[in-house]
């Protein structure tokens, strides 16, 4: 039957993820359009893909007119799986294409609005957003704040990437975190400070924590250099 043939084709494709066949991801993309669940199956194989094939498939989906539904279907399927939030980045980490970037911004905005009072879902969304560049993050933080002043939801936001790497000193990374928080404070000034007093207080506390972290890091790095 046609259904059985499609399932066989999907299985063959999954077994060929490591191969350079369909490097551009054209066949994989068509299989995903035919069966939305298949994208999640491909993403589960991404660690085996050294060709960039999976990323090319995801790029094509982000450019499809129906990308919002396909991405949402797979995003929530991944989120519901065990430790799924650790894998969601595979749907969004697809390079710097401006068209895809704008589509992703609009997708996140639609999901933020959909779950504006749901702390868990907002937390999961910003877990991914935190890995994006500063301008991307600021636009979505501004969007969130423009639609809710719920301080408890705001406190749970991931503002920074969960991965850090540096050479020589970690201090510049912490300094950049302070600068970013200061830029969020500027955003709040543009909205209505009176409705965000607790947000301002919370962010200033974060700044003080990072300043203390700089002091401790400088001492630690000085001692490490001295002992070396």
């Amino acid at each position: 039957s046609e259904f059985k043939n499609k399932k066989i084709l999907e299985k063959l494709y999954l077994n060929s993820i490591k191969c350079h066949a369909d490097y551009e991801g054209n066949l994989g993309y068509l299989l995903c359009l035919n069966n939305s669940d298949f994208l999640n199956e491909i993403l589960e194989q991404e660690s085996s893909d050294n060709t960039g094939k999976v990323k090319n498939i995801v790029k094509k989906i982000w450019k499809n007119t129906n990308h919002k539904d396909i991405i949402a279907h797979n995003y929530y399927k991944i989120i519901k799986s065990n430790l799924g939030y650790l894998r969601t980045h595979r749907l969004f980490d697809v390079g710097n294409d401006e068209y895809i970037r704008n589509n992703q911004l609009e997708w996140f905005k639609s999901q933020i609005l959909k779950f504006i009072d749901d702390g868990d879902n907002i937390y999961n969304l910003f877990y991914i957003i935190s890995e994006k560049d500063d301008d991307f993050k600021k636009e979505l933080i501004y969007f969130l704040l423009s639609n809710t002043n719920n301080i408890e939801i705001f406190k749970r936001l991931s503002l920074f990437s969960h991965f850090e790497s540096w050479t020589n000193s970690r201090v510049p990374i912490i300094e950049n975190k302070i600068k970013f928080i200061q830029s969020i404070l500027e955003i709040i000034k543009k909205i209505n400070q009176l409705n965000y007093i607790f947000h301002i207080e919370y962010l200033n506390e974060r700044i003080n924590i990072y300043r203390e972290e700089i002091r401790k890091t400088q001492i630690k790095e000085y001692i490490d250099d001295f002992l070396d």
Side-chain angles (χ1 to χ4, degrees):
S1 67
E2 185 182 351
F3 176 78
K4 187 176 181 181
N5 289 339
K6 285 178 181 176
K7 284 297 172 186
I8 291 171
L9 186 55
E10 287 176 356
K11 189 170 183 179
L12 287 171
Y13 195 86
L14 291 174
N15 289 337
S16 71
I17 287 289
K18 296 179 183 179
C19 307
H20 284 270
D22 193 40
Y23 168 72
E24 294 295 328
N26 293 315
L27 176 58
Y29 167 66
L30 291 174
L31 288 170
C32 289
L33 293 186
N34 178 69
N35 173 15
S36 291
D37 289 330
F38 189 58
L39 175 57
N40 190 32
E41 293 182 53
I42 286 177
L43 291 173
E44 289 176 351
Q45 301 292 321
E46 189 186 27
S47 58
S48 305
D49 173 33
N50 298 317
T51 68
K53 183 191 307 180
V54 173
K55 190 167 281 191
N56 286 334
I57 293 169
V58 178
K59 281 181 182 179
K60 291 178 190 298
I61 288 170
W62 273 109
K63 291 184 177 183
N64 184 277
T65 53
N66 196 34
H67 68 270
K68 284 187 177 180
D69 292 337
I70 299 172
I71 295 297
H73 176 81
N74 284 276
Y75 168 78
Y76 290 107
K77 189 163 187 175
I78 294 170
I79 280 291
K80 288 174 184 175
S81 64
N82 186 37
L83 298 177
Y85 67 95
L86 296 174
R87 295 191 292 114
T88 50
H89 68 278
R90 296 173 181 172
L91 281 171
F92 303 92
D93 182 18
V94 289
N96 300 312
D97 184 290
E98 194 66 22
Y99 183 76
I100 293 176
R101 176 190 172 87
N102 289 333
N103 281 349
Q104 289 193 357
L105 277 169
E106 292 308 310
W107 186 88
F108 278 116
K109 286 177 182 178
S110 70
Q111 299 307 304
I112 288 170
L113 270 186
K114 185 177 180 180
F115 296 105
I116 197 67
D117 297 315
D118 185 332
D120 289 340
N121 269 304
I122 296 295
Y123 168 83
N124 288 331
L125 289 166
F126 273 87
Y127 190 91
I128 305 161
I129 293 167
S130 67
E131 302 298 333
K132 297 291 190 178
D133 63 75
D134 285 358
D135 288 338
F136 195 100
K137 290 191 288 187
K138 281 191 277 192
E139 182 167 343
L140 292 171
I141 291 169
Y142 175 76
F143 183 81
L144 176 74
L145 291 173
S146 298
N147 287 281
T148 179
N149 65 345
N150 186 315
I151 182 60
E152 296 308 318
I153 285 178
F154 185 75
K155 281 181 177 180
R156 292 185 65 190
L157 298 188
S158 296
L159 298 179
F160 307 108
S161 171
H162 300 84
F163 308 97
E164 289 184 347
S165 63
W166 65 91
T167 53
N168 299 323
S169 175
R170 183 171 171 260
V171 170
I173 290 176
I174 309 171
E175 289 174 338
N176 285 333
K177 289 182 178 181
I178 292 173
K179 287 177 186 174
F180 183 78
I181 292 176
Q182 288 169 335
S183 72
I184 301 303
L185 286 168
E186 291 300 314
I187 287 173
I188 290 174
K189 287 179 184 177
K190 292 177 185 177
I191 307 173
N192 184 345
Q193 291 188 64
L194 291 175
N195 290 333
Y196 297 88
I197 291 172
F198 294 116
H199 298 65
I200 293 169
E201 185 179 292
Y202 167 71
L203 290 171
N204 281 322
E205 285 174 4
R206 291 283 297 266
I207 287 174
N208 290 334
I209 288 169
Y210 284 129
R211 282 178 176 154
E212 178 63 15
E213 194 173 337
I214 286 175
R215 188 187 70 81
K216 290 179 179 178
T217 301
Q218 287 173 328
I219 292 171
K220 180 182 181 301
E221 290 178 351
Y222 177 80
I223 291 171
D224 289 344
D225 287 344
F226 181 79
L227 293 175
D228 286 345

